[in-house]
Amino acid sequence: MQSVGSRTYSKAVSEGKYDLYLGNLFGKYDNVRTYWEDRLTRIALRPYLRKLVDSCQEQNRGVRIVDLGCGAGQGYQILTLIDRQDLDLGLQHQRVLPEENIETYLGLDISQAMVEKGNEIFEDKSNVSFARADLSEGLGKLKTTQSPFDIYFSSYASLSHLSRKDLVTLLQDICQHGHDNSVVVLDFVGRYSIEWPDYWSAQTETEKVRDYSMSYLYSEATRKHLDIESFPLRFWTGREVKQLTQEISEATGIEIEVLELMDRSVMVGRHTDTREYNSLLKPIRRSINSLHEDYMRTDLQELILDPRMIPKHSEIAPFLRQLVESWNIVVEYCQQRLCQNISLVNLQGWHHYSKPLQFALMTIDRVIADVSWMWYGDPRANIIEPQLGYALRTLEYEMQQGLGCGHGLVAILKISK
């Protein structure tokens, strides 16, 4: 039986869109994916993964990982490229989970094309394998053929392909199969993203499952004449994740602790550029990609967001308005600082700014001051603009509340037995 969305994924694999590479202005592995999304997932995971890896080392064994809806194994890179600390200026990276500490990495995906691609990419790693599995049926034969895993991992909304009922089955299996302190990483599409305001009002379970496409894989010109497949996804909020885990705990008698909820890509989701679900958006992801591109100067005015694009919502709108206001302050300050006609002491209302906003402004101020003597290498394009990107990324991360406002909603859970 062919899976929902299989045509999209098979086509993407055949076109090389799941080959591993760093950064770009467009496509699956654009700069936002590389320098924002993957990095933020790593930052959120780091403290919990570090504790788990240390525990495995104390037991003189490697870490066992199952990647649920693995694609071609992108989760392997997310997990193995996490630095032990932010400011590490040593000669070599010190990773939380070095590759040699992995006993088993098993990737499961319903797409045979993905399984074959994963086996091709990781053919030189004897501890890495991929298998076809239908997660709507839970863990299936893994419950009897595999020892408990330390990490039950998912990435990039792979679990949004499951209905709520099927996800309950999967999580019950994970709880029963996992050991005490196993970590579970859930990744969904957030329902309150500015990309699809028409989805915000969903009440019934049927309304929470909506059509989705991966049209962002193609250029605007290509999208106009291409028959792009749409398929149903289940859109989630942070509150629903908490309710779900409580329900699973009560049903299994096994405690599930929600360690963290993170909204990923609040302002720069995949469909901000396509505007497929919200025609009022600016192609902001494209501009952020430009910030991280070597020798490419960005029109910073294109980064200014219009708060009128935010739909009315008693809980979500106030948060988004505050984020948009802070975002715009950082971008405007950067523009003025580049013209050397402003300093931090000139800013009105500094003491009313949030700590994340103050930090972002100080970052920009210091970076511009420190490169002012450089006359070579295009310091604006290659130093200042990437640091503006990181400042906006940190601002978004520090202000997010795990409400389901991002394109992605990441939940990190711990099993207690």
Side-chain angles (χ1 to χ4, degrees):
M1 179 177 177
Q2 203 173 42
S3 63
V4 174
S6 61
R7 180 163 62 88
T8 294
Y9 290 105
S10 296
K11 181 177 175 60
V13 170
S14 68
E15 293 177 345
K17 298 187 186 300
Y18 278 81
D19 292 341
L20 298 178
Y21 57 89
L22 289 177
N24 210 327
L25 287 174
F26 305 100
K28 186 169 183 61
Y29 296 99
D30 63 357
N31 289 330
V32 171
R33 164 72 184 260
T34 302
Y35 301 117
W36 283 46
E37 294 169 336
D38 285 353
R39 298 288 175 89
L40 290 182
T41 300
R42 293 183 181 114
I43 289 170
L45 280 171
R46 178 166 54 196
Y48 313 111
L49 184 60
R50 184 170 180 170
K51 186 174 181 180
L52 186 146
V53 172
D54 290 346
S55 175
C56 290
Q57 289 181 325
E58 291 172 2
Q59 300 172 47
N60 294 314
R61 65 178 183 85
V63 179
R64 290 177 51 79
I65 304 164
V66 61
D67 192 340
L68 307 166
C70 61
Q74 289 75 25
Y76 186 90
Q77 280 202 323
I78 291 175
L79 291 168
T80 57
L81 298 182
I82 302 176
D83 289 325
R84 289 187 69 86
Q85 59 187 36
D86 284 324
L87 186 59
D88 181 0
L89 304 181
L91 182 62
Q92 301 294 335
H93 285 282
Q94 299 297 315
R95 304 297 193 190
V96 172
L97 179 57
E99 293 185 71
E100 60 268 22
N101 284 18
I102 297 177
E103 176 185 315
T104 298
Y105 173 94
L106 173 60
L108 302 178
D109 203 284
I110 196 170
S111 168
Q112 184 62 32
M114 291 294 186
V115 170
E116 292 172 1
K117 188 65 179 178
N119 283 323
E120 173 190 328
I121 292 173
F122 294 93
E123 63 180 348
D124 62 330
K125 300 184 186 300
S126 61
N127 59 342
V128 177
S129 61
F130 295 82
R132 188 178 183 279
D134 186 351
L135 296 177
S136 66
E137 299 173 356
L139 288 179
K141 63 182 182 181
L142 258 68
K143 291 182 288 185
T144 56
T145 61
Q146 288 281 350
S147 301
F149 292 96
D150 301 295
I151 306 172
Y152 296 81
F153 182 79
S154 70
S155 61
Y156 288 95
S158 58
L159 296 185
S160 268
H161 287 280
L162 300 181
S163 68
R164 191 184 192 282
K165 179 182 177 183
D166 291 340
L167 183 62
V168 167
T169 299
L170 177 62
L171 288 178
Q172 287 179 337
D173 282 358
I174 289 173
C175 285
Q176 292 162 353
H177 185 258
H179 59 65
D180 185 39
N181 293 325
S182 284
V183 170
V184 184
V185 182
L186 309 179
D187 201 310
F188 305 109
V189 177
R191 187 158 73 247
Y192 292 138
S193 171
I194 57 172
E195 297 160 277
W196 33 73
D198 289 346
Y199 292 5
W200 287 21
S201 59
Q203 296 295 321
T204 68
E205 191 58 34
T206 299
E207 291 172 336
K208 294 172 184 177
V209 178
R210 298 293 188 98
D211 281 343
Y212 183 83
S213 83
M214 293 170 64
S215 58
Y216 57 81
L217 291 176
Y218 305 96
S219 68
E220 188 171 355
T222 302
R223 289 197 298 268
K224 291 179 180 179
H225 60 78
L226 200 63
D227 177 22
I228 299 175
E229 179 186 27
S230 291
F231 45 87
L233 290 184
R234 209 291 190 174
F235 290 69
W236 288 83
T237 69
R239 181 179 290 110
E240 287 178 329
V241 172
K242 292 178 180 178
Q243 292 170 345
L244 176 69
T245 56
Q246 183 177 353
E247 177 183 325
I248 300 296
S249 293
E250 292 173 353
T252 61
I254 300 170
E255 181 184 351
I256 307 177
E257 180 184 356
V258 179
L259 299 174
E260 185 155 347
L261 287 169
M262 180 189 72
D263 285 327
R264 185 184 57 222
S265 295
V266 178
M267 291 290 115
V268 292
R270 286 289 188 178
H271 283 290
T272 52
D273 280 12
T274 68
R275 290 166 283 181
E276 186 173 333
Y277 305 92
N278 184 357
S279 61
L280 299 178
L281 296 178
K282 293 176 67 173
I284 197 74
R285 188 173 179 121
R286 189 178 309 167
S287 298
I288 294 295
N289 278 329
S290 175
L291 290 180
H292 294 283
E293 198 73 7
D294 290 346
Y295 292 98
M296 178 177 288
R297 295 194 179 191
T298 307
D299 181 356
L300 300 186
Q301 193 61 32
E302 292 299 314
L303 293 170
I304 297 296
L305 300 171
D306 187 345
R308 292 176 297 181
M309 71 179 178
I310 301 170
K312 293 181 179 179
H313 191 285
S314 59
E315 180 183 16
I316 306 304
F319 158 69
L320 287 177
R321 280 197 293 268
Q322 183 183 18
L323 177 56
V324 167
E325 179 183 8
S326 299
W327 176 291
N328 287 345
I329 289 172
V330 173
V331 175
E332 289 168 352
Y333 180 77
C334 184
Q335 292 185 89
Q336 293 177 310
R337 186 69 178 81
L338 286 169
C339 297
Q340 299 182 337
N341 60 3
I342 195 173
S343 66
L344 290 179
V345 296
N346 300 132
L347 291 179
Q348 299 296 317
W350 173 267
H351 296 295
H352 298 290
Y353 290 166
S354 66
K355 293 297 182 183
L357 175 54
Q358 290 179 348
F359 181 79
L361 290 167
M362 288 189 293
T363 298
I364 296 305
D365 189 75
R366 183 62 182 267
V367 167
I368 294 176
D370 286 351
V371 302
S372 60
W373 60 273
M374 296 182 181
W375 58 270
Y376 56 86
D378 197 348
R380 168 169 173 158
N382 297 336
I383 299 175
I384 295 172
E385 290 194 6
Q387 291 303 317
L388 172 60
Y390 293 134
L392 292 173
R393 182 192 73 181
T394 301
L395 179 75
E396 185 182 274
Y397 176 72
E398 294 293 338
M399 292 184 68
Q400 63 81 27
Q401 301 170 27
L403 300 172
C405 295
H407 182 100
L409 173 62
V410 178
I412 304 174
L413 319 176
K414 185 178 77 171
I415 297 173
S416 297
K417 290 187 172 180

